[in-house]
């Protein structure tokens, strides 16, 4: 039994979708950000980063979507959530996921979490103002170079699709219309049709 620590609206949705697709048995534990539960001593013992997602396994706790997604895919080979027998394709999937984590997510965080990088009001405002353009540039790159369709890896569905869906879902929060990126919008629509995505959304967005 796996336990995924999550917060509604957070990037932990990507890991929740992967678990829902995997057929593995899992439970979800919500952290209330409004009550700073991600910084409670009990949670920091599990995940000293004080962030979600974190996945408790029999072998210990894993943090970072990139790691959790690859782990879930490897623990559930029958679900075919990654090209496990093709090292190069697996590397491409990881390159895409790393771009989402290290560049796209971080670009988004400059809007809402600027205090991670600066204290001054002018700097915070500057970062927030630039965030939508940075995110647009990221999604233009994905649209034009990294989404052959129907899935991120082409014909093969993978956990990279769960991760892309999760960050696409944030675009409207920055006033960006996903229709500006037709391939991305089409991908988002197809993801929403998947039963596992519907299950993950219902479980992850509660409360
Ligand atoms: N690189 C991490 C990022 C995790 C992260 O920043 N999670 C956010 C939610 S999207 C969080 O837990 N924020 C809580 C906080 O900053 O206090 C990953 O991809 O898993």
């Amino acid at each position: 039994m796996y336990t995924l620590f999550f917060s509604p609206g957070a990037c932990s949705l990507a890991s929740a979708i992967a678990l829902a697709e995997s057929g593995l048995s899992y439970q979800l534990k919500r952290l209330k950000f409004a009550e700073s539960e991600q910084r409670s001593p009990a949670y920091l013992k599990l995940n000293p980063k004080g962030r979600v997602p974190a996945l408790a396994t029999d072998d210990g706790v894993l943090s970072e979507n990139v790691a959790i997604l690859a782990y879930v895919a490897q623990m559930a080979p029958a679900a075919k959530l990654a090209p496990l027998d093709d090292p190069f394709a697996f590397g491409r999937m990881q390159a895409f996921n790393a771009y989402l984590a290290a560049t796209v997510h971080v670009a988004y965080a400059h809007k809402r979490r600027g205090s991670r990088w600066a204290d001054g009001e002018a700097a915070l405002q500057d970062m927030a103002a630039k965030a939508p353009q940075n995110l647009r540039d990221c999604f233009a790159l994905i649209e034009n170079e990294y989404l052959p369709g129907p899935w991120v890896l082409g014909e093969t569905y993978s956990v990279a699709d769960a991760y892309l869906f999760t960050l696409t879902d944030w675009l409207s929060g920055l006033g960006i219309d996903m229709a500006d990126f037709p391939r991305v919008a089409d991908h988002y629509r197809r993801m929403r049709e998947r039963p596992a995505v519907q299950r993950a959304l219902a479980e992850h967005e509660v409360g």
Side-chain angles (χ1 to χ4, degrees):
M1 168 70 87
Y2 296 94
T3 302
L4 179 72
F5 293 85
F6 80 101
S7 178
C11 62
S12 44
L13 177 63
S15 292
I17 292 173
L19 283 168
E21 299 271 14
S22 72
L24 297 170
S25 145
Y26 66 93
Q27 61 179 350
L28 297 175
K29 281 238 162 77
R30 179 188 172 194
L31 296 179
K32 293 184 180 147
F33 279 7
E35 295 171 21
S36 294
E37 282 183 347
Q38 75 274 30
R39 282 185 277 275
S40 69
Y43 185 67
L44 289 176
K45 240 189 212 168
L46 282 172
N47 179 10
K49 292 170 183 164
R51 306 263 183 105
V52 293
L55 184 71
T57 81
D58 287 345
D59 292 315
V61 177
L62 269 184
S63 59
E64 302 293 331
N65 273 302
V66 176
I68 294 170
L69 293 173
Y71 174 80
V72 169
Q74 291 179 83
M75 295 309 286
K80 297 192 185 314
L81 296 175
L84 298 176
D85 52 5
D86 181 340
F88 185 76
F90 193 87
R92 275 183 55 225
M93 182 190 84
Q94 289 300 80
F96 185 83
N97 286 343
Y99 178 67
L100 294 185
T103 302
V104 185
H105 187 163
V106 173
Y108 176 86
H110 278 70
K111 175 80 177 178
R112 306 221 182 281
R113 299 273 192 187
S115 60
R116 286 177 187 160
W117 296 283
D119 293 317
E121 198 45 46
L124 291 171
Q125 280 180 17
D126 265 6
M127 281 193 285
K130 188 88 192 284
Q133 188 53 50
N134 281 340
L135 218 60
R136 278 189 173 281
D137 292 348
C138 292
F139 272 83
L141 190 71
I142 292 169
E143 172 84 10
N144 296 325
E145 304 290 345
Y146 293 110
L147 188 51
W151 308 114
V152 169
L153 295 181
E155 292 303 320
T156 318
Y157 180 80
S158 74
V159 289
D161 296 293
Y163 204 178
L164 175 60
F165 173 83
T166 298
L167 298 196
T168 302
D169 201 42
W170 291 354
L171 287 177
S172 63
L174 292 200
I176 299 170
D177 186 352
M178 76 173 79
D180 294 347
F181 308 101
R183 300 170 80 90
V184 170
D186 190 46
H187 176 267
Y188 182 86
R189 184 187 51 71
R190 263 177 292 102
M191 284 296 289
R192 269 200 172 269
E193 288 168 359
R194 295 179 73 86
V197 173
Q198 290 165 15
R199 173 183 171 188
L201 281 170
E203 291 175 345
H204 189 274
E205 298 308 313
V206 288

